Amino acid sequence: MWMTPKRSKMEIDESRAFRAEWTQRYLVVEPPEGEGALCLVCRRLVAATGELDVKQHYEAEHEYYERYVTEDERAALVERLRRGDFPEAATPEQRIARAGLGLARLLALKGCGWGEGDFVHRCMAVMLRDVLPDHVGIMDGIDLSPETTRQRVLDIHQNLRSQLFNRAKDFKAYSLALDDQAFVAYENYLLVFVRGVGHDLEVHEELLTIINLTHHFSVGALMAAILEALQTAGLSLQRMVGLTTTHTLRMIGENSGLVSYMREKAVSPNCWNVIHYSGFLHLELLSSYDVDVNQIINAVSEWIVLIKTRGVRRPEFQALLTESESEHGERVNGRCLNNWLRKGKTLKLIFSLRKEIETFLVSIGATTVHFTDKEWLCDFGFLVDIMDHLREISELLRVSKVFAAAAFDHICAFEVKLNLLQRQVEKNLTHFASLSQVVDELKENLQEDEKVLDLERYRAVICRLQKEFERHFKDLKFIKKDLELFANPFSFKPEYAPISVRVELTKLQASANLWEEYRTKDLGQFYAGLPAESYPIIKGVACKVASLFDSSKICEKAFSYLTRNQHTLSQPLTDEHLHALFRIATTEIEPRWDDLVRGRNESHP
């Protein structure tokens, strides 16, 4: 979860080793062979040995045993479990209920319709009849009817939501991510994600709510819905640190955008200034509109539609069709298709097949006018190259659990790269392989003194993209010192630090013990163990920085879930069911199965 400082390869990461105190706390023991932690209750091996992994397994599967509170009770419980004496073992009815809940969750994760539970039930019955005929009667007790599956999905959603709200009470700081571009086919929902940091600097990223934009069309209504969701979760605006959004007018309009309203509402003597950055989400998708100077995507999407309808059996297109189906299934609407094409990897694959596509278009009598337009071909090559550069930065910004300091470094490095590309594009095409390839092909058929392309157009496009990056991430530059201080507290010069933190920073850098902890522990673990009474300001900076979104991973998960299951999600669904499906698809919290089975979901206002 934490960004790790550089260290020697020979050093052992002790934070991943099994610790004896976990036995009473989480009911696990060190396995006799191999790594991990062996659960005394279910006898399953928790593969990762970080405390968070063990804790999540315990809370999800066995929180029932929290009723054993005192040290003596826990010790006696461990001894009983070691002997195989399990207190109050689950009844057959409870095991059947647990199986039904698990199947409902799996159906939701796969984007299956409510009615597909019956099909799964029949498949399992056939398998048991042939493999375990003595147990085929078990299936009679598992109800996978559409009504029951729908209700179980809602129950799991409420269970996960309650857990999130309980954790949110302890958030020292949090940030929001507002995504109004995930619903590419429908454009009528806003996904609101929260990233919170607790007292131990443990980071949680979860879906907070989904807002129907049809019912909350105005920015004022949207603002009211977000504030209501924050209030329900017990999150005050005084703890909000950051806001990351798409760069649509609804979000960042100068006077009427949602960000302006949020910042105005969050201003108070006790609030941090809200940090806003708007280029984090769907970077490739939205930036492509700035660099597609000749409507390349629209033309290419028409080719793909023809290939999917009339060229599906052609061997040269199988790799392209396979990737298309893995991304959004067999059925795809025009907007989803365009957004898929705006990914650098996809566009590069299509560019490599341009000769085959031209031959195919000729064979079916479709227009091939673009293949004789030298300006259009050059624009195509340029778009492929610039989108490939955007793909590289997008992939870096999808890496989670590294903190905003690392993401800021990637953004700064990309801005330097854009500056380099802008200066070099008029001199040589070293960093524009596809454009260079098109130019070489055109030169073979043109007169010696005929101009092939206007490089000034491309320099202007890169310049515009560079200015967009500066605008979208300018707030992060305002807290550059905070980010550097957080990432490198022992190398940050106190004279460059804010006056309020200089005394604490000097004391910190003078501590040999803290330096050893910083050197050997993950960055988050180091700050979690930093005494708050001795370093309150530095600890506050750590909470502030750790709460900023460091990647677009959770938004990408939602976007991917939608594009893979757009046919199912386009069916009539209530907002509550849609919310439930997306929470299950994006969460890192495990449902508390014991509570669900016993019908003890914690209620929350």
Side-chain angles (χ1 to χ4, degrees), residues 81-96:
L81 293 173
R82 286 182 188 274
R83 296 194 305 266
D85 180 11
F86 298 96
E88 301 183 34
T91 64
E93 292 77 12
Q94 289 173 338
R95 289 198 295 269
I96 288 174

Side-chain angles (χ1 to χ4, degrees), residues 23-27 39-42 57-70 73-78 80-81 84-90 594-595 598 600:
T23 298
Q24 283 197 20
R25 190 180 303 165
Y26 305 121
L27 306 180
C39 179
L40 288 171
V41 182
C42 62
H57 171 80
Y58 173 75
E59 290 182 346
E61 304 287 345
H62 313 302
E63 198 182 28
Y64 169 77
Y65 293 103
E66 279 292 285
R67 64 178 61 192
Y68 298 89
V69 179
T70 68
E73 287 177 336
R74 300 293 289 185
L77 175 62
V78 168
R80 291 176 64 184
L81 293 173
D85 180 11
F86 298 96
E88 301 183 34
D594 288 345
D595 286 353
R598 293 178 173 84
R600 294 194 300 110

Side-chain angles (χ1 to χ4, degrees), residues 272 275 405 476-489 492 496-498 500-501 527 537-538 540-542 544-545 548:
W272 284 310
I275 305 301
L476 287 179
K477 294 180 180 179
F478 295 153
I479 60 167
K480 183 177 180 181
K481 285 186 177 180
D482 286 342
L483 297 174
E484 292 176 351
L485 173 61
F486 174 81
N488 303 289
F492 194 92
Y496 296 143
S500 60
V501 80
Y527 280 112
I537 299 177
I538 291 181
V541 171
K544 175 181 176 181
V545 174
L548 293 172

Side-chain angles (χ1 to χ4, degrees), residues 118-145:
D118 286 334
F119 177 69
V120 172
H121 190 283
R122 291 197 299 271
C123 289
M124 294 180 66
V126 169
M127 182 188 69
L128 286 174
R129 187 167 59 246
D130 293 335
V131 179
L132 297 170
D134 295 339
H135 296 80
V136 70
I138 293 175
M139 294 304 301
D140 296 337
I142 301 179
D143 185 2
L144 292 179
S145 64

